[in-house]
Amino acid sequence: MSRCESLYCPHTINDNLVTTPTMRGRIILIDDDAEILAAIRSLLELEDYICETYSSALSYLRVQRTEPMDEFIPSCVLCDVKMPELGGLELQRRLAEHNDAPMLLMSGASGAQEVTAAFRAGAVDFLLKPIDIDVLLAAIATALEISCQRRRWRNRNTDLTARISTLTEGECQIARLLARGQSHRDIAEMLNLPLELVNAQRQQIMAKMGVKTLVELVRVIDDINLHLTAEGQPRRVWGTLHDVASQQAKQEEFQQLAHYDHLTHLPNRRLFLERLHQALADSARHHAWGALVFIDLDNFKHINDHFGHDVGDQLLQQVAQRLLSFVRGNDTVARLGGDEFVIIFKYLNTDHVQAVTYADQLGKKILNLLNPPYLIAGHAHQSTPSIGIAHFNGQTASLETVMKQADAAMYQAKERGRNCVCHFDTNLQEALTTREALAADLLAGLDSGQFHLHYQTQVNTDGKITGVEALVRWRHPEHGWIPPDELIPLAERSGLILPLTQWILETACQQLFEWSRIPALEPLNMAVNISTRQFYHPDFVDTVQDILKQCGANPQRLRLELTEDLLLTDIKNSFAKMTALKKSGISFVLDNFGTGYSSLSALRQLPLDGLKIAPDFVNNVLTSPGNSSLPIALISLMRSLGIEVMAEGIENQQQREFLTEQGCLTFQGYLFGYPTPIESLTLN
């Protein structure tokens, strides 16, 4: 059993079946890679989905045929395309015969032909590995909407199904033959029955079905397709009723649901991929350059958290309208999910340099288009974009490569301070290749001992060491030490932040136990940073308590550091988890305060023991009275609430003395020591 499975899947049942008590939706995960299954399952369980995992498509088929889908829970299937014995495409074809759960296919290396084949087989979306978490959640949400829609249509035939179930075995045989156009005389000869008996049974069938004419009966039976058991009894009825106008409306509704985003009515990821594939083919045929533009809204989460999702939804709708008003008729604007939009610009120019110049002009116009405030319910809301552009001519790159390039350029725009435009270039290609390789190496690094904890000391006003903060470091066998600001985002985007945080907590608690056996070191506290996904995992409280019990560490010496956005996402849930762990003696510290959007009133609702002032505020505390006002007020308020304040990022004695005068009692920073491995750590 892998590390992921042993830590995050405590409720394992037969054939890797894992369930949770929620009824939000049922996700079938199929992949022959156990690590991928564990990572995706952990993520979806955090989102309160029911998850079932299978190591092969055949094992799922065996279970599915004996245990059909629950009619009352929307369901979808997420399956890898390439697997031994039976792949995702063939599974989709087999399921289409007796299962209408929407299918999501995923692959690590796929071309445009494979993507097209997936959609033609009936898949509702195609995901590229490594899978982007936001894209995955958006695709699943769309698939479950489709599942609900199909279920509503299916339930419209409930009354008809009940009537058909009253037919006898002989009546079912006659009904099927009638639907195939056989006459009464032909049926009598085929079944070796008297003609009078066939006529009598036809009348009984019509009476049970509630129809008045033979034409109505034949049309109903033909539309619904009777599925019989081995004994000849009706087992399942499949199909829809026969109002042509209604059927056409349903089909149009389904196409809208399958290809367009329900909020903005822009093309969704599925339709976007089809159009990008076509754009690449057209650009190759016409020898013209095009551009793919990725747009991500800056600080959109702040708007959702502080003004509500209704305001956020209206802002997304206004963004969609602005983008639609800007593009030409042959271009495509789509929403991939969340606050991510894309634009496909076709036929920019046959000359590469001129095409890049034109694309840059378009990017800057989009920037200016999205910068003005959005008026929602009488209030102005600001949300600037980060824009990444990749260029294509249909011959230089595949579909998935162009998407990765645009995504990398967009993230570079964010790194440059946001609200700007970046183009993909060769330097970005090298960084992208390195990042993808590191993501593949990260999980292997956990199992092979490449990760280490370094410890930075924390001191009081007398300079006495009161504890340490555990900081993770990765020593890659080829690239050496990977910087933390690169490691943590990489772990979050790959979904491996869960096992990484788990390893950090286990290692830190083991060190706490070692110190407890040394009288001089027993009073030291251990601070550990907890990721958002770790904190909101359903088993977080039990996991922490189990680790402390297994390691024998004193919970009163453990201080869990949380971030502002984590606490303000769901205060009620946060309060419950913190309270449960505080009963064991564990303390909680709000880390890096001042970089998010927390309100002091919100902080008072949480059972915090300590708060860390962000290094940016500490570094500037002596530069002007304005820069010192927030730390001074914060120290005063927190002391009145009985919450300890720590200044993080102390680099010189003047900063320390000033904050001590204001009432700050604990400090951390380079003035007292750099993060150090345990072998070099001095604690006296």
Side-chain angles (χ1 to χ4, degrees), residues 223-394:
D223 282 347
I224 61 175
N225 291 326
L226 290 174
H227 292 264
L228 306 180
T229 65
E231 294 75 24
Q233 295 301 316
R235 179 176 65 87
R236 188 181 183 204
V237 179
W238 180 250
T240 55
L241 297 178
H242 35 262
D243 183 341
V244 176
S246 176
Q247 281 292 93
Q248 185 175 358
K250 292 173 190 174
Q251 183 65 20
E252 291 175 355
E253 183 181 358
F254 177 76
Q255 291 298 322
Q256 179 74 20
L257 185 62
H259 292 91
Y260 291 87
D261 174 56
H262 71 283
L263 177 65
T264 63
H265 304 296
L266 295 176
N268 61 13
R269 181 179 177 84
R270 176 179 182 175
L271 184 55
F272 157 72
L273 288 173
E274 292 178 359
R275 292 189 179 178
L276 179 57
H277 171 53
Q278 187 62 48
L280 290 171
D282 291 346
S283 67
R285 185 164 51 252
H286 297 288
H287 305 287
W289 284 85
L292 177 62
V293 180
F294 267 34
I295 304 167
D296 188 88
L297 302 182
D298 302 328
N299 300 323
F300 178 73
K301 184 178 183 300
H302 169 60
I303 293 176
N304 261 345
D305 290 345
H306 284 71
F307 301 102
H309 288 276
D310 288 343
V311 172
D313 288 348
Q314 292 182 59
L315 189 147
L316 293 175
Q317 291 171 336
Q318 291 191 27
V319 170
Q321 291 303 315
R322 291 188 188 184
L323 294 176
L324 283 173
S325 68
F326 174 74
V327 299
R328 304 167 300 179
N330 62 345
D331 299 325
T332 295
V333 180
R335 180 187 176 212
L336 295 187
D339 59 342
E340 289 187 339
F341 295 84
V342 289
I343 303 178
I344 304 171
F345 288 112
K346 300 170 65 175
Y347 314 125
L348 294 182
N349 205 293
T350 55
D351 180 78
H352 187 201
V353 175
Q354 293 185 26
V356 171
T357 302
Y358 186 30
D360 186 65
Q361 294 172 355
L362 292 173
K364 291 176 180 177
K365 288 182 179 179
I366 295 172
L367 201 67
N368 294 330
L369 182 72
L370 300 183
N371 259 274
Y374 299 84
L375 186 63
I376 302 173
H379 298 280
H381 299 274
Q382 190 81 28
S383 182
T384 59
S386 294
I387 300 175
I389 302 178
H391 308 276
F392 61 84
N393 66 0

Side-chain angles (χ1 to χ4, degrees), residues 456 615-616 618-620 647-656 659 667-674:
Q456 187 173 30
D616 290 344
V618 172
N619 292 338
N620 296 318
E648 187 176 17
I650 298 290
E651 296 183 351
N652 56 62
Q653 190 65 27
Q654 291 78 15
Q655 294 170 346
R656 176 188 181 182
L659 291 170
F667 309 91
Q668 181 179 340
Y670 293 156
L671 178 64
F672 313 104
Y674 289 82

Side-chain angles (χ1 to χ4, degrees), residues 113-147:
Q113 292 182 347
E114 193 170 42
V115 174
T116 302
F119 288 135
R120 286 178 177 173
V124 300
D125 210 336
F126 192 97
L127 307 176
L128 299 174
K129 296 179 180 178
I131 295 177
D132 183 276
I133 292 172
D134 292 332
V135 170
L136 171 63
L137 294 177
I140 286 177
T142 299
L144 291 179
E145 285 187 48
I146 295 173
S147 177

Side-chain angles (χ1 to χ4, degrees), residues 182-212:
Q182 300 292 335
S183 68
H184 304 163
R185 192 173 300 278
D186 291 338
I187 294 173
E189 292 178 359
M190 293 174 64
L191 299 180
N192 194 25
L193 295 173
L195 181 60
E196 295 78 9
L197 179 59
V198 172
N199 283 327
Q201 289 197 339
R202 186 204 70 181
Q203 293 297 330
Q204 292 177 3
I205 294 169
M206 293 172 61
K208 291 180 178 181
M209 295 299 297
V211 296
K212 296 180 179 180

Side-chain angles (χ1 to χ4, degrees), residues 458-461 466 559 561 588-594 600 603 608-615 617-618 621 628-650 655-656 658-668 672:
Q458 300 169 339
V459 304
N460 60 18
T461 53
T466 59
R559 299 168 68 88
E561 296 194 355
F588 284 91
V589 176
L590 186 63
D591 188 24
N592 217 25
F593 181 82
L600 295 178
L603 295 181
L608 290 169
D609 300 281
L611 180 145
K612 279 183 161 182
I613 304 175
F617 291 97
V618 172
V621 74
S628 64
S629 58
L630 176 62
I632 293 174
L634 191 60
I635 293 170
S636 176
L637 176 61
M638 292 300 105
R639 289 188 65 186
S640 68
L641 296 175
I643 296 176
E644 174 189 308
V645 177
M646 176 181 292
E648 187 176 17
I650 298 290
Q655 294 170 346
R656 176 188 181 182
F658 176 83
L659 291 170
T660 300
E661 292 174 0
Q662 308 308 319
C664 186
L665 303 179
T666 52
F667 309 91
Q668 181 179 340
F672 313 104

Side-chain angles (χ1 to χ4, degrees), residues 73-93:
I73 304 178
S75 306
C76 71
V77 179
L78 177 62
C79 182
D80 191 27
V81 171
K82 298 178 181 178
M83 289 186 295
E85 297 179 329
L86 184 67
L89 290 175
E90 179 59 27
L91 175 63
Q92 167 68 29
R93 297 186 183 98

